[in-house]
Amino acid sequence: MAFTLPALPYAANALEPHIDARTMEIHHGKHHNAYVTNLNNALAGKPEESQSIEEICKNISKFPMPVRNNGGGHYNHSLFWTIMAPNAGGAPKGSLADAINSAFGTFDEFKTKFNTAATGRFGSGWAWLIKDSSGKLAITSTPNQDNPLMDVAEVKGTPILGLDVWEHAYYLNYQNRRPDYCTAWWNVVNWNEVAKRFA
Ligand code: MN
């Protein structure tokens, strides 16, 4: 069973002005699509091709590098599209808000720490909010297309929010201004979806 590119859950221009339509079109239609194609090619004919992308990530050290890069790319982007939405942003509510306050002090302190992880990631990678095995929230970041599900990750957990800081995610609109992209991105975070992942 081959992996497929999930449709964007909104129009390519829906996240403007924070993320522009052309960036979304190329990011989803070219970059994510290439990860799916290359992942399918890397797994073709192997018994592992019937595994879920989560299972593959959890055992990624057993796979060759093309599966790590493209499988991570497929998992990470599939998550990324869903944790954004038009008319979103604001602050989380309920038990997720409580867990954020408990782990980081306040929502603003959480955002500052998350942005530090995102802007401080040298080169390409991701910043994450994860739920660890004890149910506690933590912020981490991974290089390239790695993610915290992977057995090779320094800090492991279940991703409930992720920010892509590869230049392909922002360069057309923000050029070298990664911090501006990271700041604007909070306006499109879909806290309802993040809360579902947390629960
Ligand atoms: Mn990307």
Side-chain angles (χ1 to χ4, degrees):
M1 192 193 75
F3 292 100
T4 54
L5 179 68
L8 275 183
Y10 35 74
N13 66 359
L15 306 182
E16 291 192 342
H18 309 294
I19 303 181
D20 63 287
R22 188 73 182 126
T23 294
M24 289 298 292
E25 285 164 4
I26 296 170
H27 199 177
H28 175 259
K30 304 290 184 191
H31 290 278
H32 189 175
N33 193 52
Y35 296 128
V36 171
T37 301
N38 293 333
L39 175 62
N40 286 333
N41 289 340
L43 288 173
K46 299 200 167 77
E48 295 90 346
E49 74 181 329
S50 63
Q51 293 183 357
S52 71
I53 193 59
E54 288 82 4
E55 280 179 272
I56 289 171
C57 286
K58 284 174 184 172
N59 296 292
I60 205 69
S61 62
K62 299 183 181 121
F63 289 87
M65 216 52 199
V67 176
R68 178 167 165 180
N69 289 335
N70 294 289
H74 177 46
Y75 175 88
N76 297 348
H77 289 85
S78 298
L79 179 147
F80 190 52
W81 313 132
T82 64
I83 57 86
M84 300 189 289
N87 308 311
K93 298 185 184 78
S95 59
L96 175 58
D98 295 342
I100 286 175
N101 292 338
S102 157
F104 308 107
T106 65
F107 180 56
D108 282 342
E109 284 178 78
F110 157 70
K111 286 205 291 183
T112 299
K113 286 174 186 157
F114 190 94
N115 278 5
T116 299
T119 56
R121 166 51 56 190
F122 185 78
S124 297
W126 291 73
W128 304 99
L129 176 63
I130 61 169
K131 192 175 168 181
D132 71 17
S133 51
S134 67
K136 198 173 181 301
L137 293 177
I139 292 167
T140 184
S141 97
T142 54
N144 304 314
Q145 295 295 357
D146 285 0
N147 65 52
L149 277 186
M150 291 182 172
D151 58 1
V152 295
E154 273 178 51
V155 181
K156 293 178 198 55
T158 303
I160 64 168
L161 178 68
L163 174 56
D164 187 345
V165 295
W166 283 57
E167 285 187 345
H168 69 221
Y170 60 87
Y171 209 86
L172 288 181
N173 194 36
Y174 294 95
Q175 293 82 48
N176 62 320
R177 291 173 280 113
R178 185 192 288 186
D180 291 355
Y181 157 71
C182 293
T183 300
W185 174 75
W186 294 107
N187 293 302
V188 297
V189 171
N190 179 0
W191 287 110
N192 291 335
E193 180 63 27
V194 181
K196 271 191 226 164
R197 288 181 169 272
F198 174 65

